[in-house]
Amino acid sequence: IVLWDVHRGESLREYEEHESRAWSVDFCKPNPTIFASGSDDGRVKLWSTNVPDSVLTIENHANVCSVRFNPVSVEKLAFGSAHHHVHYYDLRFPRQPLHVFQSHKKTVSYVKFASGTELVSACADSTIKLWNLETATLERTFSGHTNDRHFVGLSVNQDYIACGSEENAVYGYYKAIPKPFVQYRFASQDPLTGEDVQDDDETVFISSVCWCPRHPT
């Protein structure tokens, strides 16, 4: 993992403790000198920008695909992994998770916070789920997009959720409604060659999405 100074275009520090591919990095908004990473080595590591070594390691024993800090808490962190669960930790007590959310049927590819009390997870079982962190319960399951094997992206902006699809389409969900309220399908063309492809061509899919932060519509 490389920490960059974007104004000077220079790397400030490299962090080299993970033993396999690092999938996800997230900074703690209340304390931006702290960030976390998740890796195929089955570990979540907590880092400080001031020191070269990790300050905490959580052993998960399965590939960690996505890690996120609670946006209003320095101590709370969530991650999704290949063993189909979402873990939510209080970093002051790292030996056991606060909650383990179990409902997905495949790898959990993304976790994102909708608020300090709501967590959204996306999975390769073609579902997105909204969890209530205060009651540790599943509030809603969203379905309509196709996601069986690839990472198709997830973006959350308060009440709105967006994801990609293996149908070369982007879907938008409103958190109170389990079905998508909007869908946009891109032209069935290879993005590299420009040639027409079949609608069922699995090589053409959406890999990343992002809501405009100031204008969620």
Side-chain angles (χ1 to χ4, degrees):
I1 297 167
V2 182
L3 179 66
W4 293 87
D5 184 321
V6 296
H7 296 289
R8 295 184 295 175
E10 298 177 356
S11 62
L12 300 177
R13 178 170 285 130
E14 293 187 6
Y15 303 87
E16 301 182 2
E17 289 186 22
H18 282 300
E19 297 176 2
S20 189
R21 170 176 46 189
W23 275 110
S24 179
V25 174
D26 188 50
F27 272 89
C28 176
K29 289 184 178 179
N31 181 3
T33 65
I34 299 295
F35 66 96
S37 61
S39 168
D40 273 345
D41 64 10
R43 297 183 178 98
V44 172
K45 286 185 175 288
L46 194 68
W47 311 85
S48 168
T49 58
N50 300 317
V51 296
D53 300 325
S54 62
V55 297
L56 177 67
T57 298
I58 297 174
E59 296 283 353
N60 183 57
H61 306 296
N63 308 53
V64 177
C65 303
S66 181
V67 58
R68 286 291 181 273
F69 276 99
N70 188 309
V72 297
S73 173
V74 177
E75 297 90 9
K76 304 297 177 54
L77 176 143
F79 63 86
S81 71
H83 61 16
H84 310 174
H85 303 333
V86 178
H87 286 77
Y88 187 51
Y89 271 83
D90 185 328
L91 297 175
R92 295 169 296 183
F93 310 100
R95 292 189 177 183
Q96 295 290 336
L98 280 176
H99 307 297
V100 179
F101 298 106
Q102 304 180 40
S103 181
H104 285 299
K105 298 177 181 178
K106 289 186 178 182
T107 296
V108 177
S109 50
Y110 296 98
V111 292
K112 299 285 181 75
F113 284 87
S115 67
T117 59
E118 293 178 311
L119 180 67
V120 178
S121 59
C123 178
D125 62 5
S126 296
T127 67
I128 294 171
K129 293 182 183 290
L130 176 67
W131 308 92
N132 186 311
L133 299 175
E134 292 184 323
T135 60
T137 57
L138 175 63
E139 286 196 348
R140 191 159 290 106
T141 298
F142 306 91
S143 61
H145 61 288
T146 300
N147 180 201
D148 294 320
R149 62 180 66 181
H150 300 291
F151 282 21
V152 296
L154 175 70
S155 183
V156 179
N157 193 334
Q158 297 178 350
D159 294 339
Y160 296 93
I161 301 167
C163 69
S165 175
E166 289 162 14
E167 312 157 78
N168 200 26
V170 170
Y171 286 76
Y173 293 93
Y174 180 70
K175 75 175 186 180
I177 304 172
K179 294 298 181 181
F181 72 88
V182 66
Q183 171 191 355
Y184 181 84
R185 180 182 290 274
F186 290 88
S188 297
Q189 292 181 333
D190 188 302
L192 298 178
T193 66
E195 297 177 353
D196 290 338
V197 297
Q198 299 296 321
D199 287 341
D200 58 355
D201 187 343
E202 295 180 355
T203 64
V204 181
F205 63 95
I206 306 303
S207 59
S208 182
V209 294
C210 185
W211 283 107
C212 179
R214 296 183 181 178
H215 303 284
T217 59

